Each structure stands twice: as C-alpha cells, then as structure tokens.
C-alpha cells in the first residue's frame, strides 16, 4: 500500500505535467506541426566574447511553405542576458545561414542560440507547433 506522501507526490507530478503541456493542445498533450525546421547548427559551438559564429540549418524533409522574404530572429541568450537580435533571411525550403556576433561583454558559461519566426513558436496556435523552441546550446569561454 502506498503512503499518502508518495501518492501526493505522484498526483503533483501528473498535475504539473498536464499544466506544462496544456497550452500546446486542447487535450493536454502536445500536437506537432506537420513540418518543423531541420536541426540548427552553430559553428563553433564553443564561443568567445567578441567572436562571430555561423548559425545555419539545412532544409527539412518537408515543405515549410515559407513565403518569399521570410526571416528568423536570432539571439544568443544566457541567464538574464540576451544579445541584440539578428535577422536572418530564410529560403522558402527552410535553409538559412547567418553570422551571429558574440558581444564583447557577453558572460562566460552556458548559453543558448535561440531562433524565433519558425513553427516552433506556434505552440497552441491552431494546434500546430511543438512547444519545444528552436534552440541550440553553446558554451561561452
């Protein structure tokens, strides 16, 4: 027989999971868009303040159906800090490549290159998107 404490913890974990995914679909479970961008690459993955890195992605194996002139907004983020946004032109098929300058005063440690403007942003909008975000981890040293 389970103790009340173990039962209470299990109920809290189930409730937290339901709340975390509730905005992603009407059923409480995330639904995924039929097409999401390909994995993003950052080169190099270990960055230094003042450097410039290349952020890119190949086209996915599906049709993103982007209009001509589609752009992503790209930032380098760490706890409490965000670099100025960079706009990157995206091909209709989802391919992009752009330079991202690392600010000279950017703090050392773990950081994330974050992209907005893709289907990853559409969590909860008409049942599409993934709620996961379009990011890649980097290290500032």
């Amino acid at each position: 027989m389970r103790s009340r404490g173990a039962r209470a913890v299990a109920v809290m974990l189930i409730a937290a999971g339901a709340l975390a995914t509730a905005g992603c679909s009407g059923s409480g479970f995330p639904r995924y868009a039929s097409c999401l961008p390909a994995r993003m690459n950052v080169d190099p993955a270990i960055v230094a303040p003042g450097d410039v890195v290349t952020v890119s992605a190949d086209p996915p194996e599906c049709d993103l159906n982007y209009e001509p002139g589609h752009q992503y907004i790209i930032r380098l983020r760490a706890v409490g800090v965000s670099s100025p946004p960079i706009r990157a032109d995206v091909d209709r098929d989802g391919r992009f490549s752009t330079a991202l300058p690392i600010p000279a005063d950017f703090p050392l440690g773990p950081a994330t290159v974050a992209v907005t403007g893709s289907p990853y942003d559409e969590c909860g909008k008409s049942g599409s998107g993934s709620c996961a975000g379009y990011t890649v981890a980097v290290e500032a040293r």
Side-chain angles (χ1 to χ4, degrees), residues 48-118:
D51 283 355
V52 176
V53 299
T54 300
V55 181
S56 64
D58 291 328
E61 295 179 12
C62 53
D63 184 7
L64 285 167
N65 200 27
Y66 283 155
E67 295 293 323
H70 189 84
Q71 292 186 324
Y72 288 154
I73 298 173
I74 302 172
R75 292 180 176 89
L76 180 65
R77 294 184 175 155
V79 176
V81 179
S82 181
S83 69
I86 299 296
R87 292 189 175 276
D89 293 326
V90 183
D91 294 344
R92 287 189 64 133
D93 65 2
R95 179 188 320 261
F96 78 96
S97 182
T98 193
L100 176 65
I102 310 302
D105 60 349
F106 200 83
L108 302 181
T112 302
V113 174
V115 172
T116 55
S118 81

